[in-house]
Amino acid sequence: MKTHVRTLQLSLFICLFLLCSSSWATHISGGYIAYKWLQRNDYEITVGLFYDIGGVPVVPEQQVFIYGIEAQQIMLPLRKYMNPKPGSQVGLALYSTIYTFPEVSFFGGVRNKIAVRIDNRSGNILNMFSSINTSFYIETEIYVNSFLGINSSAAPADTMASVSGKVNKALTADLSSIDPDGDSLVYKLITPMQNAWRNVEGYRSPEFLCTDCTFTLNPQTGQLTWNKPVLQGAYAIAVMVEEWRKIPGTSQSLRMGYTIKDILLVISD
């Protein structure tokens, strides 16, 4: 009965978060969430968001939702803003804070999720319907387990706002991450999300306009390959990076968490 009540409370809290999490009409072209172990159950949480410079000003605080044993909302202050690189229309805002996850009173660990939802994505994304009216959502999973030791997330090797390519020319991009704990990484293409447990509606893989095109991500290296973009414009993709660690004294591995990076592919003539 207690488990049922806790699940119901968590579900209601998540619904409230999804309805009220963002009152800013911001245009977001991509982002990621990372965490770094500090001591005991203390972690530094960082949210990187790529803002269209034509949208509203960068907000001074970003709302973040955390759920595991407990569910709560916290505010991350803006720590740094990086202006767009030459030729780019996207700046990077970095929000961070130190968060202490609850102590676990039983043997084992707890999987926690860290999530961000913002009302509006960038406009004119070709492989989703009405992108400017579609919510932007990313999440990261962290497995807090004292037996398995330190656990920091894999960080993108390059915090680029987008990947550029040319029409009718093969596109390759290194979307690899670096794991500070030495965990094994597995890369997957997933459908971008607009809410918790809800994928973007009407999403299509970027090669949908071409019958003989291929669009792949190497699961071991994180190299993206698109053999032939045929139409200029922006395309959204999401990459999940899973972290796997071998359990001491066994031949088995355990997933220590994952990160999701939402990114644009920009194709020009």
Side-chain angles (χ1 to χ4, degrees), residues 3-269:
T3 300
H4 176 73
V5 172
R6 186 181 299 113
T7 301
L8 179 60
Q9 290 174 336
L10 178 59
S11 298
L12 291 173
F13 189 85
I14 292 172
C15 290
L16 180 63
F17 165 74
L18 297 180
L19 290 172
C20 306
S21 62
S22 179
S23 60
W24 302 86
T26 307
H27 298 166
I28 298 294
S29 63
Y32 62 91
I33 303 172
Y35 54 86
K36 179 182 179 182
W37 179 84
L38 300 176
Q39 62 179 0
R40 294 179 60 84
N41 284 8
D42 296 342
Y43 289 79
E44 181 182 39
I45 297 174
T46 299
V47 174
L49 295 175
F50 297 105
Y51 279 79
D52 291 346
I53 60 174
V56 299
V58 174
V59 297
E61 291 183 309
Q62 178 57 52
Q63 188 178 56
V64 172
F65 180 57
I66 298 177
Y67 54 101
I69 292 180
E70 300 177 351
Q72 62 177 300
Q73 298 176 51
I74 62 173
M75 301 300 295
L76 271 61
L78 177 66
R79 301 296 186 184
K80 185 177 182 180
Y81 178 74
M82 301 171 65
N83 289 314
K85 296 179 180 179
S88 173
Q89 298 296 309
V90 176
L92 173 60
L94 294 173
Y95 302 85
S96 67
T97 194
I98 296 174
Y99 179 80
T100 302
F101 287 93
E103 291 286 346
V104 179
S105 59
F106 51 86
F107 179 78
V110 174
R111 295 191 180 278
N112 300 271
K113 286 190 178 180
I114 309 167
V116 170
R117 178 187 176 275
I118 298 173
D119 284 342
N120 303 98
R121 289 177 174 266
S122 297
N124 302 315
I125 296 176
L126 297 181
N127 59 331
M128 64 176 66
F129 297 128
S130 188
S131 61
I132 200 168
N133 295 314
T134 300
S135 298
F136 173 88
Y137 175 91
I138 50 175
E139 67 180 30
T140 286
E141 181 188 80
I142 172 175
Y143 187 44
V144 179
N145 186 320
S146 57
F147 173 72
L148 293 175
I150 296 172
N151 184 17
S152 295
S153 68
D158 187 342
T159 55
M160 52 191 167
S162 62
V163 173
S164 299
K166 296 287 186 179
V167 170
N168 292 324
K169 292 186 178 181
L171 180 154
T172 60
D174 180 6
L175 302 184
S176 65
S177 294
I178 300 172
D179 189 272
D181 308 322
D183 295 332
S184 297
L185 302 181
V186 177
Y187 301 87
K188 297 179 178 180
L189 284 170
I190 65 170
T191 300
M193 302 173 72
Q194 64 184 58
N195 271 336
W197 306 300
R198 184 180 176 187
N199 292 336
V200 166
E201 297 175 0
Y203 178 80
R204 294 174 289 184
S205 185
E207 83 282 11
F208 72 97
L209 290 170
C210 177
T211 57
D212 62 343
C213 292
T214 58
F215 189 86
T216 60
L217 181 71
N218 188 302
Q220 281 79 44
T221 66
Q223 177 166 292
L224 179 74
T225 303
W226 188 359
N227 70 329
K228 189 174 65 174
V230 296
L231 181 66
Q232 67 175 345
Y235 302 80
I237 64 170
V239 176
M240 174 183 284
V241 184
E242 295 181 331
E243 305 164 43
W244 292 85
R245 183 176 301 179
K246 186 176 180 181
I247 302 175
T250 75
S251 59
Q252 298 179 331
S253 294
L254 184 69
R255 191 174 77 180
M256 298 297 293
Y258 61 76
T259 58
I260 295 174
K261 183 177 182 181
D262 202 300
I263 191 170
L264 285 184
L265 308 179
V266 180
I267 306 301
S268 59
D269 282 336

